[in-house]
Amino acid sequence: MKKFLPVILSLSMLCTAPVFAADAESTGLSQDVIVLFTSDVHCGIDQNWGYVGLESIAANLQAAGNTVLLVDDGDSIQGEPIGTMSKGEEIITLMNALQYDVAIPGNHEFDYGMDRFLELTELAEFPYISCNFNKDGELVFDPYVIFDIDDARIAFVGVTTPKTLVTSTPKYFMDDDGNFIYGFMQDDTGEALYSAVQTAVDDARADGADYVILMGHLGNEAECAPWTYADVLSNTTGIDAMVDGHSHDTDQVTMQNKDGEDVLRSGCGTKMQGVGYIRISAEDGSLSNGLYSWTNDVSAPALLGLDNALSEPVSQARANLDEKLNEVVAKTSVDLTINDPEAKTAEGNPIRIIRNAETNLGDLCADAYLDQSGADIAFVNGGGIRVSIPAGDITYEEILKVHPFGNMMTVIEVTGQQVLDALEWGARVVPEENGGFLQVAGLTYEIHTDIETSCTSDENGLFTGVDGDYRVQNVMVGGEPLDLEKTYTLASHDYMLLNNGDGYTMFQGCNVLQESVKLDNQVLIDYITGTLGGVVADDYAEPYGQGRIVAVEAE
């Protein structure tokens, strides 16, 4: 068993769910077992509790006479530059230092590609488990693992949402011919997933498990039906408790399984804002669940001055990030700009044009979305492209500064009419600046600046329609005129496509094909270092772009 160095720390900030007793004459335990779980850390290694705070919680509980197991429910290695820059390795290193006992993959564990994820599982000093992640029908990992604690056997069964196929990059689950070879027991009814979970639970029981805890990355979002945690628990039996992630909720729930028996379910939020637990009583075998919460703006390690075995590894990980940010990862033979390369203000300062005209950096960013998504069309709002990149070496930090907001690549199905409305909304104030002005790939269009905008909006500045002539005209998609009735695939980010960012409401209700699959800066990094081979060359030589957006003035 792991050994934690005891520290002094109050753990009074917790909520406790109802307790129920297991059917056992003897628990077989000499002391309480506390299963601590994290989920959706998303690289928040020093936020809220942070990994240093987690170490302190575990140490205090063990010093108080409990046996502690530490598990993770996925989405740990992606979400911030420290993950992107190391392709997840820094997070795995820290999880090794924390001596995690077991983990499951979340949907974002696959964001660096299948090969990279499998490499990371080899670096991990703890097992990954999943009863539904498979390749050509064969499970990739063991479906469960059992820990022997005194005379009791505690099993953990892993399950990952089938939504992973559209919430990470779909091509990572395909062969070279575009056929899906990896899957998650997905079907329209959910029966395949329920069966996979039930089989794993039954096998763990047959293997002598006294307690079965389901580790899930399922969540409670309605769009994940029929694969939510409630769907799975209500269609299975034999599970004592579930620790869950994906939806970033902190709900502590008691619900009934298929046989009407109570099952505990616990969530712990995201970015280390909560550390969840399941407690198994040595006295009577009862189970309880709850959450150690941190709600202060200052992290627990910083506010409380925590210093333990994880302090140095976390500091080293940050130092490694700083070094990585300065690493040269690509080159550009041309200046990539957000500014007019010629015009200056009266004071001699650059004039920004990324928000009202095409630029080569706008083309590059849009091309990255098009390339990485496989969509027909790509949009990037000018306000989301923040700095220029001068000719010469390109560092990671320069790329991250281009897209600093952490938006996530998303792909939806749209009609030609919605495409036209979006272009019109983005161009409504040209030649004035607008953060929602669209840089594009996969299409070209004209802006007739002599036509006054006829876009309408509500009191909150959200798009409500176009009630007159369109100033956007002659839209061409792949060299063909835009068909207002046709369905196209559109790539951009969740800010605009899912959250009405910059007032784009015309995409509400669209079918989502890929949801929040990759960070915007990672999209750009992967395109430059991968598809372009690390060199931005003459295709982007013209600072005013490739002629995709043409402003037409009145004769």
Side-chain angles (χ1 to χ4, degrees), residues 4-5 7 9 44-60 94 98 272 275 299-302 304-315:
F4 294 97
L5 297 176
V7 298
L9 174 65
I45 61 171
D46 51 9
Q47 300 176 27
N48 297 300
W49 281 113
Y51 279 163
V52 172
L54 174 60
E55 168 82 355
S56 292
I57 293 173
N60 275 273
L94 290 173
L98 275 159
M272 295 299 295
V275 175
S299 72
L304 302 176
L306 301 180
D307 186 10
N308 57 36
L310 262 292
S311 298
E312 176 58 29
V314 169
S315 295

Side-chain angles (χ1 to χ4, degrees), residues 15 35-41 48-49 54 71-74 76 100 216-217 219 242-252 265-277 289-294:
C15 57
V35 178
L36 292 179
F37 77 95
T38 55
S39 187
D40 301 279
V41 172
N48 297 300
W49 281 113
L54 174 60
V71 307
D72 184 80
D73 285 335
S76 289
Y100 270 84
H217 197 83
M242 179 180 187
V243 294
D244 191 28
H246 186 53
S247 53
H248 298 187
D249 69 273
T250 56
D251 298 343
Q252 311 300 306
R265 182 271 182 186
S266 184
C268 67
T270 185
K271 298 283 187 180
M272 295 299 295
Q273 65 187 179
V275 175
Y277 70 84
N289 64 341
L291 183 68
Y292 300 111
S293 297
W294 187 265

Side-chain angles (χ1 to χ4, degrees), residues 56 84 125 150 161 215 217 238 308 319 340 351 435 438 470 503 510:
S56 292
T84 301
E125 297 170 2
D150 298 327
T161 177
M215 294 174 58
H217 197 83
N308 57 36
D340 192 308
I351 295 176
L438 295 178
Y470 282 75
C510 287

Side-chain angles (χ1 to χ4, degrees), residues 132-155:
N132 68 316
F133 173 45
N134 68 92
K135 181 181 182 182
D136 294 327
E138 298 292 325
L139 291 181
V140 177
F141 303 128
D142 289 336
Y144 66 91
V145 64
I146 294 180
F147 294 93
D148 291 309
I149 310 295
D150 298 327
D151 292 328
R153 309 202 80 200
I154 302 172

Side-chain angles (χ1 to χ4, degrees), residues 100-113:
Y100 270 84
D101 291 291
V102 61
I104 64 170
N107 51 303
H108 289 299
E109 254 66 43
F110 301 96
D111 283 2
Y112 308 120

Side-chain angles (χ1 to χ4, degrees), residues 11-20 32 34 36-37 61 250-254 264-267 275-281 286-293:
L11 296 178
S12 60
M13 293 169 287
L14 66 95
C15 57
T16 306
V19 177
F20 69 97
D32 287 2
I34 299 179
L36 292 179
F37 77 95
L61 291 171
T250 56
D251 298 343
Q252 311 300 306
V253 176
T254 301
L264 297 178
R265 182 271 182 186
S266 184
V275 175
Y277 70 84
I278 301 291
R279 179 186 287 269
I280 304 175
S281 169
S286 63
L287 278 72
S288 59
N289 64 341
L291 183 68
Y292 300 111
S293 297

